[in-house]
Amino acid sequence: DAKTTQPPSMDCAEGRAANLPCNHSTISGNEYVYWYRQIHSQGPQYIIHGLKNNETNEMASLIITEDRKSSTLILPHATLRDTAVYYCIVSPYSSASKIIFGSGTRLSIRP
Amino acid sequence: DAMVIQNPRYQVTQFGKPVTLSCSQTLNHNVMYWYQQKSSQAPKLLFHYYDKDFNNEADTPDNFQSRRPNTSFCFLDIRSPGLGDAAMYLCATSRPGSSSTDTQYFGPGTRLTVL
């Protein structure tokens, strides 16, 4: 079973920040939080990951709470191309980590 | 560009007729995965190879087999496809312990139709 809980759907206006929440209350100390997204009819795409510090890259920012039981993926300026299903996953690092996909959040960006 | 390639993108087979899907990678990753994704569902891991070591998921049907003749290629064989095997099949690769991350890189998928 997936170890994360996400809202099934969200929408956001184009140009605004999209904030996608994820609960992972049973996360263990060696598990990272990964975010992937899947645009329609494409394979999933890695976005970002983190352990306990906030992370930022060219695609997004990841905010992890101090107790690590939840996180938020932030797309700072959403575009129509960001319409996708976003998956939050917890997985240990440095192993052939098995991704157990949950149901994800379907993000719709409205013009 | 280094990538994960899946051929064909669309495959049609008949009920019970064996079919093979292929995946190749230019990333030189030592782990290769196969996922099944049915319509409106999340991808589900079938099995993976860590180098030459095959790791099957407990609930993967015996009808699904895999071969990895070398680092670059991995095949998914469905011995007797049923209507319930119609799905998108995703190949992914990773390189655990690398300096970057243990992220998985996915191919575009092969959509299998069973008639």
Side-chain angles (χ1 to χ4, degrees):
Chain A
D1 291 337
K3 300 179 183 179
T4 63
T5 304
Q6 299 176 252
S9 64
M10 295 181 64
D11 67 69
C12 176
E14 190 176 19
R16 310 286 281 190
N19 298 282
L20 291 88
C22 179
N23 286 322
H24 31 80
S25 58
T26 61
I27 192 170
S28 58
N30 70 338
E31 289 183 315
Y32 283 65
V33 179
Y34 288 82
W35 283 82
Y36 286 76
R37 74 179 182 184
Q38 187 173 24
I39 295 170
H40 182 63
S41 295
Q42 297 183 22
Q45 175 191 24
Y46 165 79
I47 301 173
I48 198 167
H49 79 290
L51 183 62
K52 52 185 176 182
N53 297 323
N54 298 338
E55 302 289 341
T56 295
N57 63 19
E58 65 279 3
M59 290 182 70
S61 295
L62 174 60
I63 309 298
I64 303 174
T65 58
E66 192 169 342
D67 63 7
R68 300 206 328 122
K69 293 185 177 182
S70 65
S71 61
T72 301
L73 178 75
I74 302 173
L75 307 178
H77 305 287
T79 70
L80 297 178
R81 285 193 292 266
D82 293 320
T83 294
V85 178
Y86 287 77
Y87 296 102
C88 169
I89 295 147
V90 295
S91 182
Y93 180 60
S94 69
S95 67
S97 303
K98 299 191 295 187
I99 292 180
I100 309 297
F101 284 91
S103 51
T105 295
R106 184 172 298 277
L107 177 66
S108 300
I109 306 299
R110 58 180 188 276
Chain B
D1 288 341
M3 58 175 59
V4 181
I5 302 161
Q6 291 188 245
N7 286 309
R9 293 292 312 276
Y10 300 90
Q11 176 74 56
V12 180
T13 191
Q14 291 180 334
F15 183 94
K17 184 175 181 181
V19 65
T20 295
L21 309 182
S22 73
C23 176
S24 64
Q25 53 126 342
T26 60
L27 297 162
N28 200 33
H29 284 173
N30 53 337
V31 187
M32 294 186 77
Y33 308 79
W34 280 103
Y35 291 83
Q36 178 192 62
Q37 185 174 26
K38 295 187 177 181
S39 181
S40 300
Q41 296 182 19
K44 179 177 180 295
L45 181 64
L46 294 174
F47 28 58
H48 74 275
Y49 273 95
Y50 196 129
D51 294 321
K52 295 183 179 180
D53 294 332
F54 178 70
N55 298 272
N56 199 29
E57 292 301 297
D59 56 355
T60 298
D62 293 339
N63 199 25
F64 291 87
Q65 305 284 319
S66 186
R67 296 171 284 133
R68 189 178 186 186
N70 54 51
T71 300
S72 301
F73 284 86
C74 195
F75 300 99
L76 170 62
D77 301 308
I78 308 176
R79 291 192 299 187
S80 182
L83 298 179
D85 297 327
M88 174 78 84
Y89 290 88
L90 295 159
C91 174
T93 73
S94 75
R95 190 185 183 104
S98 66
S99 59
S100 56
T101 67
D102 187 23
T103 57
Q104 293 190 17
Y105 295 82
F106 285 81
T110 294
R111 185 168 296 281
L112 178 68
T113 299
V114 182
L115 301 177

